[in-house]
Structures are given as C-alpha cells and as structure tokens.
Amino acid sequence: VLANRVIERKRDGAELDEAELREFLDGFLSERVSVPQMSAFLMAVLFRGMSRRELETLLSVMIESGAVLDLSSVPGAKVDKHSTGGVGDKVSLALAPLVAELGVPVPMMSGRGLGHTGGTLDKLESIPGFRIDLDLRRFREVLTSVGCAMIGQTAEIAPLDRELYALRSATGTVPSIPLIAASIMSKKLAEDLDGLVLDVKMGRGAFLADDQRAVALARTMVALGTARGVPTVAVLTAMDEPLGRTAGNALEVVEAIQCLRGEGPEDLAEVTAALAGHMLELGGKASSAAEGERLASQALAQGQALDRFVRLIEAQGGDPSVVDHPERLPRARHAGDVFSSEAGVVQGIDPLALGWGVVELGGGRTGRSDPIDPSVGFEWQVKRGDSVHPGDVIGRVHARTPAQLERGRTILAQAVSLADAVPPPALPVVRRVIRAGDPTID
Amino acid sequence: VLANRVIERKRDGAELDEAELREFLDGFLSERVSVPQMSAFLMAVLFRGMSRRELETLLSVMIESGAVLDLSSVPGAKVDKHSTGGVGDKVSLALAPLVAELGVPVPMMSGRGLGHTGGTLDKLESIPGFRIDLDLRRFREVLTSVGCAMIGQTAEIAPLDRELYALRSATGTVPSIPLIAASIMSKKLAEDLDGLVLDVKMGRGAFLADDQRAVALARTMVALGTARGVPTVAVLTAMDEPLGRTAGNALEVVEAIQCLRGEGPEDLAEVTAALAGHMLELGGKASSAAEGERLASQALAQGQALDRFVRLIEAQGGDPSVVDHPERLPRARHAGDVFSSEAGVVQGIDPLALGWGVVELGGGRTGRSDPIDPSVGFEWQVKRGDSVHPGDVIGRVHARTPAQLERGRTILAQAVSLADAVPPPALPVVRRVIRAGDPTID
C-alpha cells in the first residue's frame, strides 16, 4: 500500500515527503517493497525527475545503507576526483600521485570500465601484482604513507546504490540525471572527504552526449555535495575526441607514466593539471584553482610526481619496474600499424568507435563479470587538424589474433575522419567550471 | 539485450515494430524478459502510450497466450456486453436474459468486484447454489438451451493479461488507456463473439472519472474490436450517481429481478434497454439500436424475460425460487433505516462513498482473495432532486454487526448531499455512442 502510493504519487508528478520516500527506500532494502515495484518507480523517476529535497533524501538513504569511511587518522584535507567516464581517459593514474606530491591526500575509489568508457581499476590491474582490493585498514596505511591510495568500491559502501544500479541497467532506467547524480555522489560522499572535484565529460564520447544534460548533471552533483558539507567543484571537459593517444588498459598505463614524466600528450596534461588545480585549492595547498593548476603543470613538466606513482604501485603490491620497463606490462600477441589509404586533414577521431572498439578487441566488458584482456587496444598518432597522405601511419592496433588485428585496423581507420577542409579550431579542453557559489545552481 | 532495447525505445517515444514487441511479450511469457523489466516497460507505456499498431500487437499476443472459445455449435450471432464498472451496476443480471429472450445468444464472461465497483460474479454467487465456474462444455450447453450463460473468466483465457494485470496493480501502472483497453478486449475477443457492446462509465463514480479519458478508452476499444473483425459499439453511460437504488450483492440481485418484472428503477431500466438495443442490432434481431431499445423496453415492462432468468439460475445450479422469494437470498443479521437529520433537496448521492462503503461493510474486497459477505449493503430511496425533511427515511443499511450498522448509517447519510437549491437537471443516462463508423475514431 505504501509502495503503491509512492509509485503513484511519483508517477503523477507529486513531490514525495521525506518520510514516505525513506520508508519506500528502506522498504526496498528490507524486501517489503518488491523489485518490480522499484523498477516501475525508477521509470517514473526517469520521466518525472526528482526535486532537490527528494534527491537529498535518496542520497542520504543510499549513504546510510552502508559503511562510511573514517579517515580522521590521516592528516590533511582529503580530496578525491570522480570522472563520468570517457575514452582514453587515464587522468586518474597521473592525477592521484600528482596531487599527493603537492601535499593533498587523495583517497581514491574508482570503478571499472562500463560500456564504451574505460575504468581506472581495469587500467591499474594491468600492472602485474597491483591490488585494488585493499581492506580499509591497509587503504588508510597506503594513504598515510604514500599520500594517495587507489581502490575499488568496497561492498560495504552504499549497497542500496549497487542494487539500484544493477536494476537500472536491466530496466532501461540508467539515463536519469537525478539517479546518476545520486549514484555517483553516494559513493564519493561515503569516503569522508574534505573536497571533491568532478570531471564531467561533454561531447559525443561522453556518457551524457547532450551538453545541457552534462551541465545539469554537474550542477546537481555540486549542489548535492555542497548540501552535505563537502566543498564540490565540477569541471566540464571535452570528450569530443578521445583523450591522449591511446585507448586500452596497459597502453593507457604507459601513457599515464609518460604524462608523469612530462612527456605525455598536451590534452591529457591539460585536463590533469586543471583538475589538480581545483583539488589543490580545495585541499588548501593553493590559494586558487589557477595557482594550483600552475603548480601542477610545473610538477608534471618536471616529472616531479613520477616517484610518487612508483611508491603507490609498490605499496599496493604491484611491480614498480614497469615505470622504466613498459615492456613488462601485458603485451598483445599481435600488433601492427594502420596506414591511411587517403589524403586529407583529420576532422576528428570518433571516441565511441574506439571505445567500443576496445570492447570488441576484448579489452572491455559487455557483461558485469566478463574477463578482460589488458593488453589490447589502439594507439593513434594523428590528431584533429593534422594532414595525412596515403600510406602514412595513423596508428597501431594491439590484438589477440590476426583476425582481430585486421578488425582493429578497420575500426581505427574508420574512426579517423578525413576531409579536404581544415576543421575549425577545437573548443578548449576545459569547457566550464561549476562551483557551489555559481548563481546558476538552482 | 532485446528487453533493454525494447524498454529504451518505448521510453524514448519510438514506435516498436511488431516483431520486437512480440518477441518482448513472448519473452516475458517464457521468462527471458524479467518481471522488473516488464514493470519498467509498463511504466514507460503509461507515460508514452501505445500506437494503434503496437496495441493491436499487444492484444494479439494476449489473446494467443491462451485458449479461444469455439461457439460455432451455438446457432445465432453471439453478442456480449462489458462494463468498465460502477456502483449499483446490476445491469448484466437483467440484460443477459433480456437479450436472450429477444433472440440473441449472450455468452457472458464477467469479473469480480474491484475497488469501489461491484462485480457480476459476486452478485450471481449470492444466489444459493449458483455456479459461475462451469466448464466450457457446460457453458455451451447452457448457452444453447437457455440462450445465455454467465461465468467467470477461465484460467485458460488470456493468461498474459492476467499476469500483466497483477503486475500493474502492484506497480502503479493500472491507469493507462492502452493497457486497460488491451486487458478488457483480450478477454472479450477470446469469447468467439459476433458483436460486442461496451458500457463505458463516465463521471465521478467511474473507473476513469475523467470524461475525456473515458471517451478515449471507448474509442480505443471500439477500434481494437473492429480491427479484429468483431463489430463493437461503446455506449458511454452516466456514473455520477450510483445506478438504481441498491448497492451490495444480494440487494442488487433483488433489484435486477424487479427490473426484469418491469418494476425496477427508471435509470436501471434505461441503461439496460439502451445496451440491449445495441446488442439486438449487432445480433441481427433489430434493424437499429433504437428499434432494439424499443423492443427491450417493452419486454422489460411486460416482465417477459423474467422466466429466462429463472431458467438461467436453474441451468447453473442455483435456487430459482429466490425470484419469488427474495428472503431466501442471504440476509444480513442487522438492518436499519437511515433518517435525514436535515431538510433540503438532494444534490446527489456519492457513488464512491457507497462503493467503498460496501467494501467497508464486508461486501467487497480489498485483496484479490478476500471472502465477501453477499448480504451487506445499502438501499436508498431518495434520488437527486428529491426534497427531504428532518426525520425522513432516506435509506436502509444491511450489516453484520451493530457497530457496522451504525458505521453504514453514517456512510449513507454522508453520501447523500443536501442543499437548499434545486440541482440542475441530470444529464441523460446514456451520454454518447461510439461505433466503428464514427469519424472521430482515429
């Protein structure tokens, strides 16, 4: 009866009281509200949205459904970053050691690849021996000694979110901004943070390809974090093109190491430094995001944080020698260059084609528990605006079989679009910043 | 993957192909599509609606999910009636013998009470011995010998509808016009009919209290029946006031018998004759609905069909002596008159108050399997526009306990609204007729 009333009120556009929404959500956890009822409710939310008050209630119940970290024993203001996910997005691997190096502890809980987007955990696990399943005691120890630690979401954190997430995947109710915002924030706000930076991707390769929806998601998450007393900043960054020059787990680890040496691609360094700038400001180690970004750029250029990454790998059981010997990372049996058959100017590289391409080569998952091959993927050495001639090498494919190598060549060649005209200059990689003080936050 | 695609396409407002919708529905029957997925789909349908083509597919799969009657051995054009449900609606009990008497066989499958509306099966079962669970062989025999037969929906008819209906009740997805239309029509079109008359109630006591929605439902059902080759007519009738002068199962049987004697209340006779008129036209026993209505009114006034009802009761195992001895029907232990405490003109009688009142007295169900007490209910002897004085008897309550009798008195007194002004004349009981030829059918 309660369940029916709540579903019907949401369906009809009413705002739910805190008490009835709590009772409904608690009822789901205790199996008094059925899975079909929750499924219908989630679809009604997709159509009707949620008020800020409803959303704060949902978020609270999600957080309270599980454990909340206690990092009070770790000195300093802890700041984490979350990304909504992109293709070639290896930012976290460079960012965590970089920010730690500059004095702000980074307790990072990351996710796995999902759909066409890669996941930090999958990338880390391509380092031989690296453990992403530290218990919380060990997580705190690594965080204290190294200044950063990187693990997966533990089962104790926000179990309601995990159940709802699985249900949303099955029932076509993923793309709801309030539900996405609550899901992301429930995990991050259980981390006992003093600040949070959100990298919300915009553009054709983003999880939310519609710019307005990406902005709405950013605003919603900033408002939720702020309401719970965690200073939160969202940085909207470009995902029209894949980030950097690689997509695929081990390949991206190599590129992140290059970035930490000051030798990575420009767009990757730019996003990394911009996010670091905000983290340093929130962590009290820079007077502004701009000053933080300057510090971060300088540290990257000088390779200052590379040793921090070595220490992180060591502390989490991995083989730190991969930093100097990338050939010790998993290598695909078959690799080959991709040549352009035409002349033209690169108009862009399709991030969706490459993201799904990695999945097709076996480097991502289509189901929750698919094993993945860390070695496969794509490298590309052309960027938007580059001129290519027939026979030029445009990139390289790493695959498990000759047939997959050929398939990978086709995918990469088709992902690079050529034309005679020079494309208009790309928009800046950092598009927009949304903070709690932002007057546009409703 | 199929299930996700179908849910997402419906969610996003696309029209589903016949093949994918069939596969989705068949998948639900074979448990490849999960109950949560179907729940989310139903909610998406509630928001997005269904195209006529989608609806015809849903209806086909529902009908094909079960058995379809074969009444070819019964001579004549078979015509049935369905009502969307009202309070005091005992029309079927008089209508089936009336139409049979005038030469059109009526194979009637009815339902039980639901919410505030009563059900024909519950009323019939208040007749001692009456069996509504005849097997199909016996159903055909009764239909052939008596000209009408009245049973419940058998388990073999449209099992997909039954499953979806249970799910819709649990998930807040009942009030969707396409889903309601498909549910009703799947059962009726499995009856092997040559014509169907739909009594779609309008007004505050109707299942769909919004007039426009009632009209939309009528149009949808007429179009669905016509598309499947069954001439279908919808008669929109008033349910602003309860029908007749009684609500409660045994009380309504008595009133239906009075109606068959030509001694029933005017509104009941009017609706019965109007529906009979269309059934006689569809069954080829009248050249027009108006002529059919004239024949029916005359037969009612002369008590011509009463013996047909006696034969029906006998054929279905009931005690036919109740027709002459209504005291042999179940009688409540406690009964008492209700007096007006004020003076005024009756503005109306609230059908919802009386419908839920019957449920509260134990004569209806709140859950699917609640036992009901056929003896309880209300009689009222005032109608809209009547003047009453303090102390006048306005009606009578039949209840199981003295406490329930008192509660029933309050319910009935509150259901009758009094004021000084004379209310505007009531709209005609038959509001509108919708047929396949109607240009407003889309």
Side-chain angles (χ1 to χ4, degrees), chain A residues 90-419:
Chain A
K90 63 283 291 177
V91 167
S92 290
L93 277 61
L95 181 66
L98 173 64
V99 172
E101 176 66 23
L102 294 170
V104 174
V106 181
M108 193 175 272
M109 283 194 185
S110 303
R112 298 205 174 269
L114 185 68
H116 68 283
T117 66
T120 297
L121 297 182
D122 294 331
K123 292 167 200 179
L124 288 170
E125 284 191 331
S126 68
I127 299 170
F130 198 101
R131 300 290 301 262
I132 53 89
D133 58 350
L134 309 184
D135 63 27
L136 293 177
R137 191 189 51 77
R138 182 67 193 144
F139 179 64
R140 269 192 297 261
E141 280 174 13
V142 174
L143 180 60
T144 307
S145 63
V146 180
C148 60
M150 302 180 82
I151 61 171
Q153 189 194 342
T154 72
E156 302 94 59
I157 302 273
L160 175 57
D161 170 61
R162 203 163 35 253
E163 287 191 45
L164 292 186
Y165 195 86
L167 200 51
R168 286 165 58 210
S169 299
T171 59
T173 50
V174 168
S176 154
I177 287 172
L179 295 178
I180 297 166
S183 176
I184 292 173
M185 296 302 282
S186 69
K187 289 171 280 200
K188 289 292 151 183
L189 296 177
E191 283 178 19
D192 193 13
L193 299 177
D194 301 294
L196 174 61
V197 174
L198 301 162
D199 180 6
V200 178
K201 302 294 189 190
M202 292 178 98
R204 56 179 173 164
F207 172 56
L208 294 178
D210 177 276
D211 282 6
Q212 284 191 309
R213 283 172 62 82
V215 169
L217 175 63
R219 283 188 180 148
T220 303
M221 292 194 292
V222 168
L224 284 176
T226 307
R228 287 190 70 95
V230 177
T232 302
V233 175
V235 183
L236 289 138
T237 68
M239 188 40 69
D240 295 301
E241 312 282 322
L243 202 56
R245 294 181 182 275
T246 62
N249 295 295
L251 296 170
E252 294 191 44
V253 170
V254 176
E255 193 175 22
I257 293 167
Q258 288 168 348
C259 179
L260 284 165
R261 280 192 206 284
E263 297 164 2
E266 202 183 317
D267 59 349
L268 175 60
E270 195 180 336
V271 172
T272 306
L275 295 170
H278 288 283
M279 292 174 79
L280 292 171
E281 185 191 12
L282 291 176
K285 297 296 177 183
S287 59
S288 68
E291 193 211 333
E293 185 170 349
R294 218 161 32 240
L295 292 171
S297 290
Q298 209 173 355
L300 275 185
Q302 297 174 349
Q304 194 185 325
L306 182 63
D307 185 54
R308 187 76 57 167
F309 189 47
V310 169
R311 285 166 56 199
L312 175 71
I313 295 174
E314 257 179 338
Q316 297 202 203
D319 175 3
S321 76
V322 299
V323 168
D324 291 317
H325 299 279
E327 71 280 5
R328 295 184 185 164
L329 287 165
R331 284 157 71 93
R333 211 179 170 98
H334 300 273
D337 289 339
V338 181
F339 304 91
S340 179
S341 55
E342 297 163 73
V345 180
V346 176
Q347 306 295 304
I349 300 179
D350 180 1
L352 288 171
L354 292 191
W356 287 116
V358 171
V359 174
E360 194 176 333
L361 294 182
R365 36 179 86 67
T366 50
R368 182 165 278 259
S369 57
D370 293 354
I372 64 162
D373 184 330
S375 70
V376 300
F378 301 95
E379 299 177 77
W380 54 96
Q381 54 201 59
V382 293
K383 282 269 185 186
R384 182 185 157 108
D386 290 354
S387 290
V388 299
H389 302 280
D392 280 1
V393 173
I394 56 172
R396 194 167 171 81
V397 176
H398 300 258
R400 286 186 288 187
T401 64
Q404 287 195 319
L405 178 60
E406 281 318 301
R407 174 71 188 133
R409 283 186 159 120
T410 305
I411 291 169
L412 181 54
Q414 287 179 347
V416 177
S417 58
L418 297 178

